[in-house]
């Protein structure tokens, strides 16, 4: 397997859509210090040399693949935060740097956290990141978000001021969607097709900003170069009506033209949109609609489940 299959790519927080996470009481047995907000001490000193080595392997692999594929904002974020291959980052040091740039910090959580807890963290500019790192046999494939997906995948974009604001607005929107609208599913799709699997059209061409892509070596190539998936211009309502797969490469990617556009499109009151979304169609992951602005119509030649770029 050559891809992160991450059940809850939303971040260590898990976030929308994921059920079946352990209760706080169950987690307390493994993590006696867990707080009511699900945070735990990172205990950086306790990572073994072999765990730092896994970080290094993954980091070095992505650094070879990402130039010319990831957007400049992501690569700049890695640099600004001094994220390096040597070792798993210490969240305290990382948070200090991030705080100075955009006011965000990174907190450690065991893995998935409930939706309301996830939103509460984002709404307060705290990114919950899985504390553990995957095992050597999970280099390309993992069921839960670990520190590599969460920190390497998500944190560089949080160093970008507009994206940082988008993530906080999303957290607040999540709280509202839960409390007032019962629209979690719609909002989760927005997260999926932007934060996790978003592409952006830049002057040099199509680039990745989604964390689920940048933390996966195979999907980093597939998302940008494979003829198989659809690449469709981002349209808010369309995205919020589109189902997605969590266990295979995406059949469609949605492409924004700038982070400013993404922010402007989403930073408006969703009340009327939620009401509209409650009726009408839901689209399948591979659908192409007559009204779509299609950048690439997929050949759909990817062999499902193979996790291999063709
Ligand atoms: N504008 C959304 C609302 O009214 C909140 C939101 C902002 C959601 C940004 C996602 C991203 O609820
Ligand atoms: Fe994620």
């Amino acid at each position: 397997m050559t891809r992160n299959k991450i059940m809850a790519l939303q971040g260590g927080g898990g976030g929308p859509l994921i059920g079946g996470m352990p209760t706080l009481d169950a987690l307390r047995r493994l993590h006696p210090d867990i707080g009511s907000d699900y945070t735990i001490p990172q205990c950086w000193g306790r990572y073994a040399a072999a765990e730092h080595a896994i970080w290094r392997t993954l980091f070095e692999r992505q650094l070879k693949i990402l130039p010319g594929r990831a957007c400049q904002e992501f690569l700049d974020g890695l640099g600004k935060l001094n994220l390096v291959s040597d070792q798993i980052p210490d969240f305290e040091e990382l948070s200090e740097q991030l705080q100075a740039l955009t006011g965000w910090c990174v907190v450690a959580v065991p893995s998935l956290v409930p939706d309301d807890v996830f939103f509460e963290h984002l709404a307060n500019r705290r990114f919950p990141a899985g504390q553990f790192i995957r095992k050597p046999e999970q280099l390309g494939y993992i069921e839960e978000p670990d520190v590599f997906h969460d920190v390497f995948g998500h944190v560089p974009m949080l160093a970008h001021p507009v994206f940082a604001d988008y993530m906080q607005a999303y957290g607040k929107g999540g709280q509202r969607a839960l409390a007032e609208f019962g629209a979690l599913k719609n909002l989760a799709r927005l997260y999926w097709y932007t934060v996790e699997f978003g592409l952006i059209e830049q002057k040099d061409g199509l680039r990745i900003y989604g964390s689920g892509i940048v933390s996966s070596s195979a999907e980093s190539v597939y998302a940008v170069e494979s003829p198989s998936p659809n690449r469709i211009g981002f349209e808010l309502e369309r995205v919020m009506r589109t189902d997605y797969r969590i266990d295979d490469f995406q059949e469609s990617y949605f492409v924004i033209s700038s982070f400013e556009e993404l922010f402007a499109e989403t930073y408006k009151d969703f009340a009327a949109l939620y009401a509209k979304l409650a009726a009408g169609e839901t689209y399948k992951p591979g659908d192409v609609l007559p009204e779509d602005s299609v950048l690439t119509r997929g050949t759909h030649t990817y062999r499902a489940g193979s996790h291999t770029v063709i």
Side-chain angles (χ1 to χ4, degrees), residues 166 169-170 172-174 176-177 181 187 190 266-271 274:
Y166 173 67
Y170 185 88
K172 291 187 178 167
R176 223 176 144 226
F181 299 102
L187 202 60
L190 175 62
T266 49
Y267 202 73
K268 43 192 174 198
D269 191 338
F270 282 6
Y274 287 143

Side-chain angles (χ1 to χ4, degrees), residues 1-18:
M1 294 290 171
T2 45
R3 145 161 217 256
N4 301 339
K5 173 197 171 197
I6 298 166
M7 287 293 292
L9 293 119
Q10 288 83 346
L17 285 198
I18 310 304

